[in-house]
Amino acid sequence: MPSAHPLGDSAITIAFGEERSPALLGWIHAAACSIRSARIPFVVDVVPAYLALTVFYDPVAATYDDAAKLLIEKCTTAPSEADDRKPREHIIAVRYDGIDLPAVAEATRLDVEEVVALHSGRAYTVDILGFVPGFAYLSELDPALHLPRRAQPRPRVAAGSVAIAAAQTAVYPLDTPGGWHLIGTTNQLMFDPRSEPPALLAPGDIVRFEPLK
C-alpha cells in the first residue's frame, strides 16, 4: 500500500516502494494521471519520481489528513484506471553529429553507424522529468550503449543536444551544464514557458528518434 508523508506544510509525498522497477514506475505514472484528472481543488501540482510522487497542495483549502486520505485513495485505485490511458507518442528528428559520438563508438567497440542504429532503433519511455525544466529521463537504452557519465561534466551543453548516460538517453531542453555523452542534435523545442504545458514530454510518453539524412 502507498504511504503518505508530510513534506513541509504544503506538500505530501506518497511512497510506493523501495526498489525501482518498470511496474512500480507505471503505477506511479498512473497515480499521477489519476490525481491530475480528478481536478481536486486543493491540488496545485503533481511531481512523480522513481519510488514516490509528491503532491503540492493548498493548506488553506484542505488539512493534511484530509488531503492525504484522498490522495492515497486515488493512488490505490490508479492501477485499475491505467488501462484506459494511451501514452502520447513523439518522433524527434535527430542529426547524429554529437561531439562525443566517435568516442562513444570507440568505448562501446561499435561503428558510428551501429551506435546510431541502436539508439534510433527502439522506442523509449519517459520515466520522469527533472534536473532542469523539460529534461526527460528516457529508458531503456540498448545495453550495448551503456556508458557511465563523463568523468568531467561540461560547463555548458547546448539546448537540443541528444545524449546518453548509463541506461538512459535524453535531450537537453536548455543551455545548461551536463555530464552525459553528446551523440546528436535536434531542432525540436523541448521546453517553452509560453506553452501549456511548457514541457514537450510528460512521464509515460513514448519517444522515438528518427535520424536525419
Side-chain angles (χ1 to χ4, degrees):
M1 287 289 293
S3 58
H5 308 273
L7 182 64
D9 61 0
S10 58
I12 300 172
T13 294
I14 310 295
F16 286 76
E18 298 180 353
E19 185 174 344
R20 283 169 54 169
S21 71
L24 184 65
L25 188 59
W27 184 6
I28 293 171
H29 286 171
C33 182
S34 177
I35 293 170
R36 291 193 187 100
S37 299
R39 300 186 182 278
I40 303 169
F42 60 78
V43 170
V44 177
D45 196 10
V46 183
V47 182
Y50 280 108
L51 300 176
L53 65 81
T54 295
V55 178
F56 294 86
Y57 71 101
D58 181 356
V60 176
T63 67
Y64 169 82
D65 289 339
D66 289 342
K69 180 180 178 181
L70 180 56
L71 293 174
I72 288 293
E73 290 176 357
K74 290 294 180 183
C75 292
T76 303
T77 59
S80 63
E81 300 172 0
D83 293 339
D84 297 329
R85 298 185 308 119
K86 288 189 176 181
R88 298 183 304 166
E89 296 192 8
H90 308 264
I91 297 178
I92 297 178
V94 177
R95 192 174 302 280
Y96 284 91
D97 56 1
I99 191 172
D100 295 325
L101 184 56
V104 167
E106 182 178 358
T108 56
R109 299 182 180 181
L110 298 168
D111 295 333
V112 167
E113 292 76 13
E114 292 175 312
V115 173
V116 172
L118 289 175
H119 184 262
S120 61
R122 59 172 53 198
Y124 299 92
T125 300
V126 179
D127 287 349
I128 60 173
L129 300 184
F131 175 46
V132 293
F135 189 99
Y137 291 82
L138 309 178
S139 292
E140 172 78 30
L141 190 66
D142 191 290
L145 297 179
H146 289 192
L147 291 173
R149 297 188 185 197
R150 288 171 47 85
Q152 183 64 45
R154 292 185 171 91
R156 179 182 177 277
V157 174
S161 296
V162 179
I164 62 173
Q168 296 178 309
T169 186
V171 181
Y172 282 81
L174 306 169
D175 293 352
T176 179
W180 292 31
H181 304 276
L182 310 182
I183 63 171
T185 54
T186 180
N187 291 326
Q188 177 67 60
L189 187 62
M190 306 301 296
F191 181 79
D192 183 355
R194 299 165 298 182
S195 299
E196 182 54 45
L200 174 67
L201 304 179
D205 286 0
I206 302 300
V207 177
R208 295 180 182 274
F209 294 104
E210 184 176 84
L212 289 173
K213 303 299 184 182

